[in-house]
Structures are given as structure tokens and as C-alpha cells.
Amino acid sequence: MTDHSAPPRVPFWRSPTGRAWAFQAVMLGSFLWLAVSMYRNTLENLKTRGISSGFGFLHSEAGFRIGEVTGIPLPQGGFLYFLISLALGLALSRMLTRHMKARTNAPLNTKWFGLCLLLSIGIPAATLFLFRNSVEIAHYTESSSYVMALATGLANTLKVAVIGCVASTFLGLFIALGRLSPNWLLSSLCRWYVELNRNLPVLMQLFFWYFVVFQELPGVKQSIDLGGWLILNKRGLFLPALVPHQGAWLFCGAIVAALCGCWLVLRRAKQLRDDTGEAGKRLVPCLLLLIGLPGLAWLLGGTPFGLEFPVLKGFNYKGGTGLTPEFTALVVGLTVYVSAFNAEIIRSGIEAVSRGQREAARALAMNERQVMRIVILPQAMRVIVPPMTSEYLAIAKNSSLAVAIGYPEFVSVGGTILNQSGQAVEIVGIWMGVYLCISLCISFAMNVYNARIALVER
Amino acid sequence: MRSILVALAAAGALFASSVAQAGTLQDVQANGFLKCGTHIENPGFSALDSNGQRFGFDVDFCRAVGAAVNTPEIKYTPLTSKERLPALQSGEIDLLSRTTTYTMSRDANLGLDFTNITLFDGQGMMVRKSSGIKSAKELDGATICLQTGSTTELNISDYFRKNGMSFTPVVFDKQPDVRAAYDAGRCDVHTTDVSGLAAQRSLMEKPEEHVILPELISKEPLGPVVRHGDNQWGDIVRWTVWLTMAAEEFDITAENVEKMYEESTDPEVQRMLGKTGTLWQDLGLDQGAPVRVLKTVGNYGQIFDRNLGPSTPLRLERGPNAQWNKGGLIYAPPFR
């Protein structure tokens, strides 16, 4: 029996949904076809031209030196256990607090809290004690493989990107606040800063910092020397280095554990205040943790660090630690350039918060700083975060301009390998893949943050 | 960023579907121009003069091949050392004449064929005279400026490892940046092939303040490169270069080549210049090719003297690049 209530059947090519699906399928099909034929063409062309392909070459010895080597901690042995136990401890204590809250519907009582603290500090501390001195940090040498060379280049890139993102955000915030200041001189200085840096090409700025500013410093023999504590010359900035002794890892672990403990204490204090209105103890337990745990580690493991001063030996200062002009020029150049954009983004975010909010906050007798910190900035963040993401992406990608000023980052190292092995397709593929991963990670993190601060409508 | 783009473009050319591979000779003659890859700026080898014309040692071999195939128009592609091999592999250029070191791995893996060795060079090191350094053995702990993506980086690492010394490299993408950094005092040492060092020295603020140390730390045989698989094209390049070398041996110059063609009674000169025999026709060229080549660039000695020799800012001696019968390594096989 036919169902008369059903609408007459439309052939699928005349229904909008059917057509939409068909178009999508055709698009997807042609995209796949394109990708597959590109892949096959590449392989075929490589073969007909007698170029060997594949990623096997990555395991052969690199043989060249890299000027700046960032050590890569190999996540194995004790280090891995430590990370796992730290996560385990924190997760356990979080579960406990949840459980506690659900059962008693009351603020955390002291007994439970003590247990949490013990778990989150005790477990990592115990692992650290059992597996001390087993963390390996791999340093690239000429006899390492191409993979290690690429990893070192990537570590150098990430170092620049992370420092650049943090520094440009703070610098941008200050410039933005300066531009919004009622002081005419300050605000016009900040406006000039923004206009100047935003309108000059970033590569030119890098050249400026590297070849004009840092190469004007005195030579090695005429270094600016502050009693051995700070030495500045054309070759960079030299500082005394902390040399880890036997107990260094215990000491560092204790600091991490103490910080975790502090975080728990602060969280509990906040919850106590939210639930009962009385201020929980914060300062004393935090100080106790921060001083007590590392102090204990010091006693158990001996002096954690010694100082090594740079000394002039032969061509240059040896020993100690420091910053090379290449690294500094890159970080300063990128930070200054991007901070101008960040300042504008932050300023527009602040100006987007309606005037009524500010007036209401003033009416509650908040001072100017409180208004900014508690009322304006949290609301401005919603406007600021999405465009800020693309500025962070720009830092990560622009760091590849470092090739021009001699900083051995990912593209520079990859370029050397490309020329030595001749595997252009593979290296370009790795470049694209890695930058894609970095960009996706930044976007993901910023999206998560954006979702957390987004206005929740009830 | 730009170098990424170029490398991408070069790699991208490999993605494109396979073109019917006619011989390079036919392609060049059909196009009416030769696509030659060379330096961006390396005085003596390939640089622009005040009229915007390219000139130099490497450029002359492009011109010689252009004359041989009767396409005097040449399109030069300036390439960094990182870009040069993909550019040739992908067919962006027909001939790479850009101080490229002949190595086994490049010959075996990369779909490339090395033709002749036009310059027997070696990697050297340049320091400031004021440093008082007389030998490369005194360079332990030095900071060294060099260009990325060449055998240079490997040689210098090997040399320091072999001698138990350490150094800090500062690596740039382009030779002019290496020079600027060394000149500004960022590095103690500037290293590349000796001929390149001489070229860079001629561009420095005060060339007389810098010396090239006596040690050569590698063999750097340099010469034109072609794609693997087109044997006819490889032979044309090879014999065009050998022609310039043999011409020096027989005292044939750009000025007297026509007279020699008419008057020489030496049977080998007659075969070499295409008056008798079919040597050049067998390569797929016309009979007039050898005279055109020599009229355009002259013989090997003239090319060397004009671009690199003692009377140029580079002030290079012939050394191993003298003719075989004068104690050098320049040796053309018989034209027979």
C-alpha cells in the first residue's frame, strides 16, 4: 500500500541536498585524483631522471657543524618516568578533590588536602629519587645523523618562536597601553613606534639589527667587560654559566614539585574564598614549599650548580653562556616587528570594550589599574585572541628568514642537507610538514584558549 | 623565504606531468636561446657589468656552448648554491655553469652528469693580516663565516676534526652576506674555494688587509653540469670546452682563428676547426661551430686571463690550470 502522506519522490539530481552531495563527491574525487596523479608523476619523473628518492638518506652521517646547538632532551629512562609520575600525581589529586566535592559538597577539608599535596609532590619526588641522573640530553655533533641535524634546527626555530611570541605580546601590551595613555608625548611616541615598525619589511629590519646594530659593537679584544659577569662584543653577549653538579636534577625536580604544590595551595585558597568568603592561607604555605623542598634537595644532593666564567682564550671568550648576535638579532627583529601589530590588536581590543563597563567599574571605586586588570582586559581578550593567533603564526614562519643572517634554524639546516644529499623533494616535503605542524599546534592552543575565555551566555 | 619559494618551484616542476623529452639540443635550437644557470654575483666567474651584461669565467662557457649550437642568445638564471642542482634537475636550465664541485655522490644519485673540469680549485681560508696567523693549523677555536649548501661546510668540518681542533661556523645563504659578516669582524676566517675567496676579497673594503692561508683543505674540481641521460648534449658541452683547451695548445686565438682555418696545414687543427672531416657534424652541430666558439670566447688561456688572471682584480696564477705540456692539468683529448 502506498503512503499518501509522503511527498512525491524527487529524482536526486533535482533535489538540492542530492545535488550538493553529488558536487561534494565530484570535488573530493577530483582532489583525490589530483593528489594521486601528482604523487605518481613525481615518483615517475624522479625515476626517469635517475634521481634517487626516499627518506633513507636521513640516517646517514651529517658531517657538517652547526653553529648553535640546542640540546634536545631525549624522553627516555628517568625523564619519561618523571613526566608520567608528575601527570599521575596531579591527575590523582584532581580526582580526589572532585570526588570530595561531589560527596560532601563542602570546601576541601584539611585532611584531604594534605593527602592531595602529598600525592602530587610525593610521587614525582620518589621517581626522581629512584631514577636520578638518568636524563639524557642529546647534543648534535658532526657524526650525528641528518635527523639529529634537522631536530637541532627545529629546536633552534622553536626557541626563537617561543621567546618571540612571549616577548612581542608583553611589548605589544605596553605599547598599546602607552598609546591609550592620556599623556600626549607617550601616546605619540607609541604611535610612531607602531607606524614605523609596521611599515618596514621584516627582512630589512633583521638586516638592520644584525649588520648595523650588532656589528657596531667593539671587537673581541676591546670587549665591554663588567668584571667578568657580563662581556659584550661583536661575537655576542657572554655571561657566567650555571654548571650542573650531581644534585642538579634533584634540585630542579624539587622546584617543579614545589611549583605544583603552590598551584594546589592557591587553588584551594581561591575555592575557600569562593565558598566561604574567608581568605585561605596562601603566602606561608607557598613560601614554605618553595624554600623547603629545594632546600631539602640541596641538603640531600649537595650543591646543585656551580658558576663558570667566560675567559678570553685565543680567538674568543670560552666557557660561560651567552647569546650570539644572530640569535639576538633574530629575536629582537621579530619581536619589534610583530609587537607593533600586537599593539594595534590589543589597542583595538581594549577600545572595543564599551565605555559603560569602565564607568561602572569606576563607580565601584576601583582604581585605574584594577579597572584595567579586572574589567577591561578580560573582556578585551575575546577580541584580541583570534587575530593574535595569526601574529604568533607569523613569528613561527618568519623565523625562517634567519637564513639571511646566519642563524642555524630549521630551513637553514634543511638547506644544507638539501644541497649535500640533493634530495630536494624530500626536504621540501619535510619543511612543509613541520611548518604545518607548528602552525596547527599554535592554532590549536590558541583556539582552546579562545574557547575558554569566550563569553558564556546563560 | 625566497629560497624556500625557489626550492619549492624547483621541486614543483618535478610534480608536473612528464613532458615528452626531446633532445636538449633540439629544444635549445627550437627555443632560439640557451638557458644557463650561473651565479648571482661572483666577480670573475659571473657578475653584471655596468651595462647589465653578464660576464665572467663561468659565463664564457655558457657563451661558448651557445655559439656551438648557434644560439647566441643566452638566458641566465642566477642561482644560489642551494638552488642550482634542483634547477638543473627540473629542466629550468639546460646547462649549469656555476663553480660546482664534481663529487661522486652528486654524479651517482642526482640525475646529473659532470662534463669537463674547467678549473682545478681547492678550498682555502682567508684571515686578516693583522691577526698574524700564518697557517690554518693555528685556527683552533676560530669563528668561521661560510656559505650554506656546498661542499665547503663538509670540508671545513672534516679538516678541523682531522686536526683535533674546534670552530664555530656562522652560515649564510648568500656569498655577499658572508663577505659582509666577515668584513664587519663577526668571524676570524672566511672560507670557500680559493678562486671564490679571491673574488670576494676584490669586493672588500680594504682588500690588501686580508691574506689567503697557504693550506688547501680540499680538491675542488669545478666545471659545467648537465642532466643525466642526454648523451648528445653532454658530448656537445664536453667537446666545446675541450675545443677551447686544445685551441690554446695549438696557439689558436679569437683573433687568428679565421686565418688558422684558412691557412693551417696541421691535420689535427683542420679536423678540430671543422675544415676537414665530420667531427662536429657527428655531434649534431654544423661545420662552422668550432670557429664560432673560438671567435666568441677565445681559447682557454684567453678566458682564464680575461676573468681570473694576474691582470684582473682576482690575481690568480695558472698553477694547476696551466696546459698539460706546461706542468698543469689542462688536457684536451685528441680531435680525431
Side-chain angles (χ1 to χ4, degrees):
Chain A
M1 217 174 99
T2 44
D3 186 354
H4 293 285
S5 62
R9 277 188 69 85
V10 183
F12 83 93
W13 59 89
R14 294 183 61 181
S15 86
T17 25
R19 266 194 277 187
W21 274 102
F23 280 130
Q24 296 292 330
V26 170
M27 272 307 285
L28 185 69
S30 40
F31 177 75
L32 282 179
W33 175 79
L34 198 72
V36 168
S37 63
M38 247 165 83
Y39 178 72
R40 289 177 56 177
N41 274 335
T42 308
L43 281 191
E44 188 152 319
N45 285 352
L46 286 174
K47 217 170 132 194
T48 47
R49 283 160 205 218
I51 305 169
S52 54
S53 59
F55 288 93
F57 72 98
L58 283 175
H59 295 289
S60 41
E61 188 191 85
F64 61 91
R65 214 177 161 88
I66 298 181
E68 266 178 272
V69 174
T70 308
I72 303 158
L74 290 179
Q76 62 181 33
F79 189 63
L80 200 62
Y81 290 131
F82 176 62
L83 285 183
I84 292 173
S85 59
L86 196 66
L88 196 73
L90 284 177
L92 266 178
S93 61
R94 195 182 164 82
M95 264 168 58
L96 267 176
T97 42
R98 283 253 172 103
H99 178 71
M100 193 59 209
K101 217 176 158 191
R103 235 179 60 175
T104 62
N105 202 15
L108 288 158
N109 70 31
T110 318
K111 208 171 71 192
W112 279 110
F113 178 68
L115 191 61
C116 289
L117 212 58
L118 202 68
L119 274 175
S120 58
I121 296 174
I123 296 180
T127 1
L128 203 70
F129 188 73
L130 284 176
F131 296 99
R132 65 188 154 190
N133 299 331
S134 59
V135 177
E136 267 186 61
I137 292 197
H139 279 277
Y140 170 85
T141 60
E142 286 106 321
S143 45
S144 309
S145 66
Y146 282 140
V147 179
M148 274 303 290
L150 281 173
T152 304
L154 182 60
N156 284 341
T157 294
L158 291 179
K159 196 163 79 177
V160 168
V162 170
I163 296 177
C165 285
V166 174
S168 69
T169 307
F170 281 103
L171 191 58
L173 179 63
F174 288 126
I175 300 292
L177 295 181
R179 243 195 107 166
L180 290 169
S181 143
N183 181 328
W184 177 83
L185 185 65
L186 184 61
S187 80
S188 39
L189 272 180
C190 289
R191 198 172 71 226
W192 274 102
Y193 175 89
V194 168
E195 291 306 327
L196 196 70
N197 286 309
R198 208 166 51 156
N199 291 309
L200 291 176
V202 61
L203 186 60
M204 209 195 82
Q205 294 197 30
L206 292 184
F207 276 129
F208 169 78
W209 288 104
Y210 186 64
F211 283 111
V212 181
V213 179
F214 290 110
Q215 300 301 350
E216 285 307 308
L217 291 168
V220 177
K221 298 267 154 52
Q222 298 85 35
S223 300
I224 303 165
D225 189 345
L226 297 183
W229 285 91
L230 185 154
I231 292 152
L232 187 66
N233 60 37
K234 268 187 215 289
R235 307 284 167 86
L237 174 73
F238 299 86
L239 301 165
L242 286 176
V243 184
H245 289 175
Q246 196 95 56
W249 281 105
L250 197 61
F251 185 75
C252 291
I255 289 182
V256 173
L259 286 176
C260 291
C262 280
W263 179 70
L264 271 177
V265 169
L266 290 178
R267 233 171 56 114
R268 179 170 183 261
K270 185 171 180 293
Q271 200 162 22
L272 212 63
R273 199 187 58 199
D274 288 353
D275 290 346
T276 67
E278 57 185 279
K281 286 200 190 71
R282 291 182 300 181
L283 196 66
V284 178
C286 275
L287 275 181
L288 267 179
L289 275 174
L290 279 177
I291 297 171
L293 273 180
L296 201 66
W298 193 308
L299 281 179
L300 281 176
T303 320
F305 292 104
L307 276 182
E308 186 193 73
F309 286 90
V311 273
L312 184 61
K313 228 199 261 163
F315 291 99
N316 206 349
Y317 281 88
K318 297 274 163 60
T321 176
L323 301 171
T324 61
E326 289 80 27
F327 175 78
T328 321
L330 186 62
V331 169
V332 171
L334 287 179
T335 301
V336 166
Y337 178 73
V338 174
S339 71
F341 291 89
N342 286 353
E344 285 300 89
I345 291 170
I346 293 171
R347 183 179 64 92
S348 66
I350 291 173
E351 289 188 336
V353 178
S354 76
R355 233 159 58 102
Q357 295 284 327
R358 183 184 296 261
E359 285 162 0
R362 295 287 299 167
L364 289 172
M366 288 185 177
N367 64 31
E368 203 56 54
R369 188 174 296 175
Q370 280 176 320
V371 172
M372 189 53 81
R373 194 168 58 87
I374 300 172
V375 179
I376 309 287
L377 277 183
Q379 298 189 67
M381 287 310 268
R382 297 183 185 123
V383 183
I384 292 171
V385 169
M388 207 71 148
T389 310
S390 51
E391 291 308 317
Y392 290 158
L393 294 179
I395 290 189
K397 284 182 284 188
N398 280 340
S399 66
S400 63
L401 290 172
V403 185
I405 56 166
Y407 179 69
E409 44 67 73
F410 191 59
V411 172
S412 166
V413 173
T416 298
I417 297 174
L418 190 159
N419 199 257
Q420 267 159 30
S421 63
Q423 307 285 352
V425 177
E426 288 82 356
I427 294 287
V428 172
I430 292 175
W431 274 339
M432 296 201 300
V434 166
Y435 276 98
L436 188 68
C437 279
I438 296 177
S439 299
L440 287 179
C441 284
I442 293 177
S443 296
F444 177 73
M446 292 299 280
N447 283 341
V448 167
Y449 183 62
N450 196 27
R452 279 189 61 169
I453 58 160
L455 199 60
V456 184
E457 304 215 5
R458 288 178 222 269
Chain B
M1 212 60 218
R2 184 184 156 270
S3 58
I4 300 186
L5 286 179
V6 175
L8 251 179
L14 289 169
F15 292 133
S17 76
S18 201
V19 267
Q21 296 232 334
T24 311
L25 174 65
Q26 284 74 34
D27 287 348
V28 169
Q29 285 178 338
N31 288 337
F33 55 82
L34 173 72
K35 291 177 287 183
C36 203
T38 182
H39 286 275
I40 298 169
E41 155 93 12
N42 193 12
F45 290 92
S46 170
L48 295 174
D49 66 11
S50 50
N51 301 323
Q53 293 293 314
R54 283 227 165 248
F55 72 100
F57 187 76
D58 284 337
V59 168
D60 277 347
F61 290 106
C62 294
R63 290 170 61 213
V65 174
V69 299
N70 206 8
T71 53
E73 193 193 337
I74 294 166
K75 290 208 168 154
Y76 295 103
T77 308
L79 298 165
T80 66
S81 30
K82 200 158 74 182
E83 296 157 1
R84 60 187 165 178
L85 300 181
L88 182 63
Q89 288 169 334
S90 63
E92 204 179 314
I93 53 175
D94 304 313
L95 174 67
L96 177 67
S97 181
R98 187 198 174 282
T99 58
T100 307
T101 306
Y102 194 159
T103 69
M104 181 162 173
S105 65
R106 283 176 177 170
D107 202 14
N109 294 339
L110 303 185
L112 303 176
D113 270 350
F114 285 83
T115 57
N116 328 56
I117 294 165
T118 51
L119 196 71
F120 291 90
D121 207 347
Q123 187 174 338
M125 289 178 246
M126 178 160 65
V127 296
R128 280 176 201 78
K129 264 186 192 152
S130 59
S131 68
I133 291 162
K134 295 276 178 288
S135 154
K137 295 268 163 41
E138 301 166 37
L139 291 177
D140 191 14
T143 306
I144 300 184
C145 282
L146 49 93
Q147 190 187 7
T148 185
S150 54
T151 44
T152 321
E153 273 181 279
L154 291 179
N155 293 334
I156 196 92
S157 295
D158 284 356
Y159 183 80
F160 276 76
R161 268 202 281 181
K162 201 163 63 189
N163 289 297
M165 306 192 293
S166 75
F167 73 104
T168 310
V170 184
V171 180
F172 295 86
D173 204 23
K174 297 194 176 64
Q175 200 57 263
D177 295 335
V178 183
R179 185 180 70 234
Y182 168 77
D183 222 4
R186 172 69 183 98
C187 303
D188 305 302
V189 182
H190 183 334
T191 183
T192 186
D193 299 349
V194 167
S195 58
L197 280 181
Q200 295 301 318
R201 181 171 62 179
S202 71
L203 292 172
M204 283 185 190
E205 276 178 35
K206 291 178 183 137
E208 65 284 354
E209 286 183 2
H210 305 274
V211 284
I212 298 173
L213 297 176
E215 285 92 348
L216 291 188
I217 63 168
S218 68
K219 289 182 287 187
E220 302 290 334
L222 311 175
V225 194
V226 295
R227 268 184 301 282
H228 186 82
D230 187 347
N231 295 340
Q232 183 195 23
W233 182 246
D235 289 343
I236 289 173
V237 174
R238 220 167 265 127
W239 284 99
T240 304
V241 175
W242 275 326
L243 173 70
T244 66
M245 294 178 178
E248 188 188 16
E249 195 184 329
F250 291 100
D251 292 323
I252 306 170
T253 63
E255 293 74 33
N256 72 7
V257 59
E258 274 168 330
K259 192 161 146 269
M260 292 291 273
Y261 180 83
E262 298 300 335
E263 295 171 9
S264 176
T265 52
D266 182 335
E268 180 159 14
V269 170
Q270 286 180 341
R271 285 195 299 272
M272 187 166 92
L273 294 182
K275 193 172 183 184
T276 59
T278 56
L279 289 177
W280 295 96
Q281 287 92 320
D282 296 342
L283 271 185
L285 301 177
D286 61 307
Q287 198 192 357
V291 175
R292 267 200 314 272
V293 169
L294 293 175
K295 271 184 75 174
T296 311
V297 296
N299 66 37
Y300 180 82
Q302 290 181 298
I303 297 173
F304 190 98
D305 290 340
R306 183 165 64 232
N307 298 302
L308 312 174
S311 61
T312 66
L314 271 73
R315 304 197 305 266
L316 288 181
E317 298 295 330
R318 284 294 286 268
N321 296 299
Q323 286 287 337
W324 63 282
N325 50 12
K326 292 183 181 145
L329 295 168
I330 296 296
Y331 185 102
F335 282 77
R336 172 171 297 284

